[in-house]
Amino acid sequence: MHQLQIPPSPGDQFFYVGGEAEFENMLNYKRHGSHPVILGDILPKPSTCVSDPAKKPRYRIIMKLGFGAFCTGWLARDLVENRYVAVKVCLGSDTAHENGETEILSQLHETGRGKHGYERVIQLFDAFIIEGPNGFHECLVTEVVAPLSDYDVQRWCSSETIRQIIEGFAFLHEQGIAHGDPHNGNFGIAVPELEQFDEEAIAEYVGGPDTIPVVPIDPSLALHSLPPYLVERLSIVGFLQEQKSFPTGSEMSVRIMDFGRSYRTSEKVPSLPGAAPYEIRPPEVAMHDLSKGKVGSIWSEAADIWAVGCTLYHIRRGGELISTGGSANDRLFHAVDFGGPPPQDWPELWNDGRKTLRPFNRVKAWEETEANCSDEKRKFLDLIKKMIVTKPDERSPMAELLTHPFVQRRSSNGC
Ligand SMILES: Nc1ncnc2c1ncn2[C@@H]1O[C@H](COP(=O)(O)OP(=O)(O)O)[C@@H](O)[C@H]1O
Ligand SMILES: [Mg+2]
């Protein structure tokens, strides 16, 4: 019988464990995992920069901004330019090589400058590779943003935010780039307002950060692979709201970030790291996984469109459009219910024989969402409907969506 693999839990190996939302998994600090960073470190530390051995320490770590499946993200002070930056320290690898994210961001900044939508791509200031106890780590230095996964950021979003995201994707697709992971944690709002405040103001706001000591139960565990403690996340929006300086209304400027799963559409799709979250996974990708690659397809530009549709809905309406509850088959059923008839070659994998499924009904699925909607909301849902279409080639291209009545009417009403 197929055994369910239970992932190891940090509590089995460490004496202290923090909440999952604030603290990264301690088990990730191992060979080819995260690089141990502590507050006050100045990166790159002397003689650790393998991409440029002459590079001097430059980015002083102030606080942790967050973490993902592939990195830890840090707020730092650029001691040369005297400004705040974010340093994304990627997972370790065996060899020192520029990763796809740095390559694609550099390309976009080289070839896209001045084009419509270019400013929606997060600014890349610097990139270098360090060698540490857990391998070689790419470090990307970018502008700091307030991620849209934070409810306090989402609540300030308007139809202009929606327009800016579509504009950004029209630009990426025109440049031949598929993003690969467009969920709201990978969108942010630019926060140039941060520059008005010195490091003392941030320290005062944090007021002695919460930390968790990293103490392995097994005395033989390699301590040099681990940081001495984990630190809580700094909420940029929380800090700026307290200072009454968070950008709102027409001042909000969207940035698309995390190009870790991005690729050039002109090239054969490489095997993409990780998997896009269920909330945004398009049916052809889910079908491809369920059928072990026999039908459906891997990620594509059209997959970006579906995923952006789900994310825009979430940002504006505060919840998921398509329920992610239940099994993989259930999720696929819900997606096709909203998206309309599947291609004829798809086997009925959503029907696992456990229950009698009603026929798909796109009209009915949307009717429930549209019930009691104002004209404005109806217009918004019409925009989303053009992206949520089961057959990938029937989804409206991003450039076309820029002419949709909801997007064209620029307004800054709250969500
Ligand atoms: N430029 C940035 N500004 C603010 N926070 C950031 C920045 N870059 C990364 N982070 C934080 O680190 C997290 C992970 O970064 P991300 O680029 O999404 O990597 P991953 O591929 O691991 O998801 C983000 O969700 C965010 O909390
Ligand atoms: Mg991410």
Side-chain angles (χ1 to χ4, degrees), residues 34-96:
S34 305
H35 175 70
V37 172
I38 59 168
L39 305 186
D41 275 352
I42 308 181
L43 300 181
K45 287 188 181 170
S47 49
T48 61
C49 187
V50 294
S51 54
D52 175 6
K55 196 172 180 78
K56 299 223 167 62
R58 175 167 177 176
Y59 305 104
R60 182 171 61 198
I61 302 295
I62 301 173
M63 260 308 269
K64 188 176 79 189
L65 288 169
F67 55 89
F70 301 100
C71 76
T72 50
W74 302 87
L75 175 67
R77 189 77 184 165
D78 177 347
L79 301 175
V80 173
E81 292 287 335
N82 237 329
R83 63 180 171 191
Y84 291 112
V85 293
V87 182
K88 173 172 176 171
V89 183
C90 299
L91 296 187
S93 61
D94 248 344
T95 53

Coordinates of all heavy atoms in Angstrom, one line a residue, residues 34-96:
S34 N 19.4 26.8 3.4 CA 19.6 28.2 3.7 C 20.9 28.5 4.2 O 21.6 27.7 4.8 CB 18.5 28.7 4.7 OG 17.2 28.3 4.3
H35 N 21.3 29.8 4.0 CA 22.6 30.3 4.5 C 22.4 31.0 5.9 O 21.5 31.8 5.9 CB 23.2 31.3 3.5 CG 24.5 31.9 4.0 ND1 25.7 31.2 4.1 CD2 24.7 33.2 4.4 CE1 26.6 32.0 4.5 NE2 26.1 33.2 4.7
P36 N 23.2 30.6 6.9 CA 22.9 31.3 8.2 C 23.3 32.8 8.1 O 24.4 33.1 7.8 CB 23.8 30.5 9.2 CG 24.8 29.8 8.3 CD 24.2 29.6 7.0
V37 N 22.3 33.6 8.4 CA 22.6 35.1 8.4 C 22.1 35.6 9.8 O 21.1 35.1 10.3 CB 21.7 35.7 7.4 CG1 21.7 37.3 7.4 CG2 22.1 35.3 6.0
I38 N 22.9 36.5 10.4 CA 22.4 37.1 11.6 C 22.4 38.7 11.5 O 23.1 39.2 10.6 CB 23.2 36.7 12.9 CG1 24.7 37.1 12.7 CG2 23.0 35.2 13.2 CD1 25.4 36.9 14.0
L39 N 21.6 39.3 12.4 CA 21.5 40.8 12.3 C 22.9 41.4 12.5 O 23.6 40.9 13.4 CB 20.5 41.3 13.4 CG 19.1 40.6 13.4 CD1 18.2 41.3 14.4 CD2 18.5 40.7 12.0
G40 N 23.2 42.4 11.8 CA 24.5 43.0 11.9 C 25.5 42.5 10.9 O 26.6 43.1 10.7
D41 N 25.3 41.3 10.3 CA 26.2 40.8 9.3 C 26.3 41.8 8.2 O 25.3 42.5 7.9 CB 25.6 39.5 8.7 CG 26.0 38.2 9.4 OD1 26.7 38.3 10.4 OD2 25.4 37.2 9.1
I42 N 27.5 42.0 7.7 CA 27.6 42.8 6.5 C 28.1 41.9 5.3 O 29.1 41.3 5.3 CB 28.7 43.9 6.7 CG1 28.3 44.7 8.0 CG2 28.7 44.9 5.5 CD1 29.3 45.9 8.3
L43 N 27.1 41.8 4.4 CA 27.4 40.9 3.2 C 28.0 41.6 2.0 O 27.6 42.7 1.8 CB 26.0 40.2 2.8 CG 25.3 39.4 3.9 CD1 24.1 38.7 3.4 CD2 26.3 38.3 4.5
P44 N 28.8 41.0 1.3 CA 29.4 39.7 1.5 C 30.5 39.8 2.6 O 31.2 40.8 2.6 CB 30.0 39.3 0.2 CG 30.3 40.6 -0.5 CD 29.3 41.6 0.0
K45 N 30.6 38.8 3.5 CA 31.6 38.8 4.5 C 33.0 38.7 3.8 O 33.0 38.1 2.7 CB 31.4 37.7 5.5 CG 30.2 38.0 6.4 CD 30.2 36.9 7.4 CE 29.1 37.1 8.4 NZ 29.0 35.9 9.2
P46 N 34.1 39.2 4.4 CA 35.4 39.2 3.7 C 35.7 37.8 3.2 O 35.4 36.8 3.9 CB 36.3 39.6 4.9 CG 35.5 40.4 5.8 CD 34.1 39.8 5.8
S47 N 36.2 37.8 2.0 CA 36.7 36.6 1.3 C 35.6 35.4 1.2 O 36.0 34.3 1.2 CB 38.0 36.0 1.8 OG 38.0 35.9 3.2
T48 N 34.3 35.8 1.1 CA 33.3 34.8 0.8 C 32.7 35.0 -0.5 O 32.0 34.1 -1.0 CB 32.2 34.9 1.9 OG1 31.5 36.1 1.8 CG2 32.6 34.6 3.3
C49 N 33.0 36.1 -1.2 CA 32.3 36.4 -2.5 C 33.1 35.7 -3.6 O 34.1 36.2 -4.0 CB 32.2 37.9 -2.7 SG 31.2 38.3 -4.1
V50 N 32.5 34.6 -4.1 CA 33.2 33.9 -5.1 C 33.0 34.5 -6.5 O 33.8 34.3 -7.4 CB 32.9 32.4 -5.1 CG1 33.3 31.7 -3.9 CG2 31.4 32.2 -5.3
S51 N 31.9 35.2 -6.7 CA 31.7 35.8 -8.1 C 32.6 37.0 -8.3 O 32.8 37.4 -9.4 CB 30.2 36.2 -8.2 OG 29.8 37.0 -7.2
D52 N 33.0 37.7 -7.2 CA 33.9 38.8 -7.3 C 34.8 38.9 -6.0 O 34.4 39.5 -5.0 CB 33.0 40.1 -7.4 CG 33.9 41.4 -7.4 OD1 35.1 41.3 -7.4 OD2 33.2 42.5 -7.4
P53 N 35.9 38.2 -6.0 CA 36.7 38.1 -4.8 C 37.1 39.4 -4.2 O 37.4 39.5 -3.0 CB 37.9 37.2 -5.3 CG 37.5 36.5 -6.5 CD 36.4 37.4 -7.2
A54 N 37.1 40.5 -5.1 CA 37.6 41.8 -4.5 C 36.4 42.5 -3.9 O 36.6 43.6 -3.4 CB 38.1 42.6 -5.7
K55 N 35.2 42.0 -4.0 CA 34.0 42.7 -3.4 C 34.1 42.9 -1.9 O 34.4 41.9 -1.2 CB 32.8 41.9 -3.8 CG 31.5 42.8 -3.7 CD 30.3 42.0 -4.2 CE 29.0 42.8 -4.1 NZ 28.9 43.9 -5.1
K56 N 33.9 44.1 -1.5 CA 34.0 44.4 -0.1 C 32.7 44.3 0.6 O 31.6 44.4 0.0 CB 34.5 45.9 0.1 CG 35.8 46.2 -0.5 CD 36.6 47.1 0.4 CE 38.1 47.1 0.0 NZ 38.3 47.7 -1.3
P57 N 32.7 44.0 1.9 CA 31.4 44.0 2.7 C 30.6 45.3 2.5 O 31.2 46.4 2.5 CB 31.9 43.8 4.1 CG 33.2 43.2 4.0 CD 33.8 43.7 2.8
R58 N 29.3 45.2 2.2 CA 28.6 46.3 1.8 C 27.2 46.4 2.3 O 26.7 47.5 2.6 CB 28.5 46.3 0.2 CG 27.7 47.4 -0.4 CD 27.9 47.5 -1.8 NE 27.0 48.5 -2.3 CZ 26.9 49.0 -3.6 NH1 27.8 48.5 -4.5 NH2 26.1 49.9 -3.9
Y59 N 26.5 45.3 2.5 CA 25.1 45.3 2.9 C 24.9 44.9 4.3 O 25.0 43.7 4.6 CB 24.2 44.4 1.9 CG 24.5 44.8 0.5 CD1 25.3 44.1 -0.4 CD2 23.9 46.0 0.0 CE1 25.5 44.5 -1.7 CE2 24.1 46.4 -1.3 CZ 24.9 45.6 -2.2 OH 25.1 46.0 -3.5
R60 N 24.6 45.8 5.2 CA 24.5 45.5 6.6 C 23.0 45.1 6.9 O 22.1 45.8 6.7 CB 24.8 46.7 7.5 CG 24.7 46.3 9.0 CD 25.3 47.3 10.0 NE 24.5 48.5 9.9 CZ 25.0 49.7 10.3 NH1 26.2 49.7 10.9 NH2 24.3 50.8 10.3
I61 N 22.9 43.8 7.5 CA 21.6 43.2 7.7 C 20.9 43.9 8.9 O 21.5 44.0 10.0 CB 21.7 41.7 8.0 CG1 22.4 41.0 6.8 CG2 20.4 41.1 8.3 CD1 21.7 41.0 5.5
I62 N 19.7 44.4 8.7 CA 18.9 45.1 9.7 C 17.9 44.2 10.4 O 17.7 44.2 11.6 CB 18.3 46.4 9.1 CG1 19.3 47.3 8.5 CG2 17.4 47.1 10.2 CD1 18.7 48.5 7.8
M63 N 17.1 43.6 9.5 CA 16.0 42.7 10.0 C 15.7 41.7 8.9 O 16.0 41.9 7.8 CB 14.7 43.6 10.3 CG 14.5 43.9 11.7 SD 14.5 42.6 12.9 CE 12.8 42.1 12.9
K64 N 14.9 40.7 9.3 CA 14.4 39.7 8.3 C 13.1 40.2 7.7 O 12.3 40.7 8.5 CB 14.2 38.4 9.0 CG 13.9 37.2 8.0 CD 13.7 35.9 8.7 CE 12.4 35.8 9.3 NZ 12.2 34.6 10.2
L65 N 13.0 40.2 6.4 CA 11.8 40.6 5.7 C 10.8 39.4 5.5 O 9.6 39.6 5.5 CB 12.1 41.2 4.3 CG 12.8 42.6 4.3 CD1 13.3 42.9 2.9 CD2 11.8 43.6 4.8
G66 N 11.4 38.2 5.4 CA 10.5 37.1 5.1 C 11.4 35.9 4.6 O 12.6 35.9 4.7
F67 N 10.7 34.9 4.2 CA 11.4 33.7 3.7 C 10.4 33.0 2.7 O 9.2 33.2 2.8 CB 11.8 32.8 4.8 CG 10.7 32.4 5.7 CD1 10.0 31.2 5.4 CD2 10.4 33.1 6.8 CE1 8.9 30.9 6.3 CE2 9.3 32.8 7.6 CZ 8.6 31.6 7.4
G68 N 10.9 32.2 1.9 CA 10.1 31.4 1.0 C 10.7 30.0 0.9 O 11.6 29.6 1.7
A69 N 10.2 29.3 -0.1 CA 10.7 27.9 -0.3 C 12.2 27.9 -0.8 O 12.9 26.9 -0.6 CB 9.8 27.2 -1.3
F70 N 12.6 29.1 -1.3 CA 13.9 29.1 -2.0 C 14.9 30.1 -1.4 O 15.9 30.3 -2.0 CB 13.8 29.3 -3.5 CG 12.9 28.2 -4.1 CD1 11.6 28.4 -4.4 CD2 13.5 26.9 -4.3 CE1 10.8 27.4 -4.9 CE2 12.7 25.9 -4.8 CZ 11.4 26.2 -5.1
C71 N 14.5 30.8 -0.3 CA 15.4 31.9 0.1 C 15.0 32.4 1.5 O 14.0 32.0 2.0 CB 15.3 33.1 -0.8 SG 13.8 34.0 -0.6
T72 N 15.9 33.2 2.1 CA 15.5 34.1 3.1 C 15.7 35.5 2.6 O 16.6 35.7 1.8 CB 16.4 33.9 4.4 OG1 17.8 33.9 4.0 CG2 16.1 32.5 5.1
G73 N 14.8 36.4 3.0 CA 14.9 37.8 2.5 C 15.2 38.8 3.7 O 14.6 38.7 4.7
W74 N 16.1 39.7 3.5 CA 16.6 40.5 4.6 C 16.5 42.0 4.2 O 16.9 42.4 3.1 CB 18.0 40.2 4.9 CG 18.2 38.7 5.3 CD1 18.3 37.6 4.5 CD2 18.0 38.2 6.6 NE1 18.3 36.5 5.2 CE2 18.1 36.7 6.5 CE3 17.8 38.7 7.9 CZ2 18.1 35.9 7.6 CZ3 17.7 37.9 9.0 CH2 17.8 36.5 8.8
L75 N 16.2 42.8 5.2 CA 16.3 44.3 5.0 C 17.7 44.6 5.4 O 18.2 44.2 6.4 CB 15.3 45.0 5.9 CG 15.4 46.5 5.9 CD1 15.0 47.1 4.6 CD2 14.6 47.2 7.1
A76 N 18.4 45.4 4.5 CA 19.8 45.8 4.7 C 20.0 47.2 4.4 O 19.2 47.8 3.6 CB 20.7 44.8 3.9
R77 N 21.1 47.7 4.9 CA 21.5 49.1 4.6 C 22.7 49.0 3.6 O 23.6 48.3 3.9 CB 22.0 49.8 5.8 CG 22.2 51.3 5.6 CD 20.9 52.0 5.6 NE 21.1 53.4 5.3 CZ 20.2 54.3 4.9 NH1 18.9 53.8 4.7 NH2 20.4 55.5 4.6
D78 N 22.5 49.6 2.4 CA 23.6 49.6 1.5 C 24.6 50.7 2.0 O 24.2 51.9 1.9 CB 23.1 49.9 0.1 CG 24.1 50.0 -1.0 OD1 25.3 50.1 -0.6 OD2 23.8 50.0 -2.2
L79 N 25.7 50.3 2.5 CA 26.6 51.3 3.1 C 27.4 52.1 2.0 O 28.0 53.1 2.4 CB 27.6 50.5 4.0 CG 27.0 49.7 5.1 CD1 28.1 48.9 5.9 CD2 26.2 50.6 6.1
V80 N 27.3 51.7 0.8 CA 27.9 52.6 -0.3 C 26.9 53.6 -0.8 O 27.2 54.8 -0.8 CB 28.4 51.7 -1.4 CG1 28.9 52.5 -2.6 CG2 29.5 50.7 -0.9
E81 N 25.7 53.2 -1.1 CA 24.7 54.1 -1.7 C 23.9 54.8 -0.6 O 23.1 55.7 -0.9 CB 23.8 53.4 -2.6 CG 24.4 52.9 -3.9 CD 24.7 54.0 -4.9 OE1 24.0 55.0 -4.8 OE2 25.6 53.8 -5.7
N82 N 24.1 54.3 0.7 CA 23.4 54.9 1.8 C 21.9 54.8 1.6 O 21.2 55.8 1.6 CB 23.8 56.3 2.0 CG 24.2 56.5 3.4 OD1 23.8 55.8 4.3 ND2 25.2 57.4 3.6
R83 N 21.4 53.6 1.3 CA 19.9 53.4 1.2 C 19.5 52.0 1.6 O 20.4 51.2 1.8 CB 19.5 53.6 -0.3 CG 20.2 52.5 -1.2 CD 19.8 52.7 -2.7 NE 20.6 51.8 -3.5 CZ 20.7 51.8 -4.8 NH1 20.1 52.7 -5.5 NH2 21.5 50.9 -5.4
Y84 N 18.2 51.9 1.8 CA 17.7 50.5 2.2 C 17.6 49.6 0.9 O 17.3 50.1 -0.1 CB 16.3 50.6 2.8 CG 16.4 51.3 4.2 CD1 15.8 52.6 4.4 CD2 17.0 50.7 5.3 CE1 15.8 53.2 5.6 CE2 17.0 51.3 6.5 CZ 16.5 52.6 6.7 OH 16.5 53.2 7.9
V85 N 17.9 48.4 1.1 CA 17.8 47.4 0.1 C 17.2 46.1 0.7 O 17.3 45.9 1.9 CB 19.1 47.1 -0.7 CG1 19.6 48.3 -1.4 CG2 20.2 46.6 0.3
A86 N 16.8 45.2 -0.2 CA 16.4 43.9 0.2 C 17.5 42.9 -0.3 O 17.9 43.1 -1.5 CB 15.0 43.5 -0.3
V87 N 17.9 42.0 0.5 CA 18.9 41.0 0.1 C 18.2 39.6 0.1 O 17.8 39.2 1.2 CB 20.2 41.0 0.9 CG1 21.2 40.0 0.4 CG2 20.8 42.4 0.9
K88 N 18.1 39.0 -1.0 CA 17.5 37.7 -1.1 C 18.6 36.7 -1.2 O 19.4 36.7 -2.2 CB 16.6 37.6 -2.4 CG 16.0 36.3 -2.7 CD 15.0 36.3 -3.8 CE 14.5 34.9 -4.2 NZ 13.4 34.9 -5.1
V89 N 18.8 35.9 -0.1 CA 19.8 34.9 -0.1 C 19.2 33.6 -0.5 O 18.4 33.0 0.3 CB 20.5 34.9 1.3 CG1 21.7 33.9 1.3 CG2 21.0 36.2 1.8
C90 N 19.6 33.1 -1.6 CA 19.0 31.9 -2.2 C 19.6 30.6 -1.6 O 20.6 30.6 -0.9 CB 19.2 31.8 -3.7 SG 18.4 33.2 -4.5
L91 N 18.9 29.5 -1.8 CA 19.4 28.2 -1.2 C 20.7 27.9 -1.8 O 21.1 28.4 -2.9 CB 18.4 27.1 -1.6 CG 17.0 27.1 -1.0 CD1 16.2 25.9 -1.4 CD2 17.0 27.4 0.5
G92 N 21.5 27.0 -1.1 CA 22.8 26.7 -1.6 C 22.9 25.7 -2.7 O 21.9 24.9 -2.9
S93 N 24.0 25.7 -3.4 CA 24.2 24.7 -4.5 C 25.6 24.3 -4.4 O 26.5 24.9 -3.8 CB 23.8 25.2 -5.8 OG 24.6 26.3 -6.1
D94 N 25.9 23.2 -5.2 CA 27.2 22.6 -5.3 C 28.3 23.5 -6.0 O 29.4 23.4 -5.7 CB 27.1 21.3 -6.1 CG 27.3 20.2 -5.2 OD1 27.9 20.4 -4.1 OD2 27.0 19.0 -5.6
T95 N 27.7 24.3 -7.0 CA 28.7 25.1 -7.8 C 28.2 26.5 -7.8 O 27.1 26.8 -7.5 CB 28.6 24.6 -9.3 OG1 27.2 24.6 -9.7 CG2 29.2 23.2 -9.5
A96 N 29.2 27.4 -8.0 CA 28.9 28.8 -8.0 C 28.4 29.2 -9.4 O 29.2 29.2 -10.4 CB 30.1 29.6 -7.7

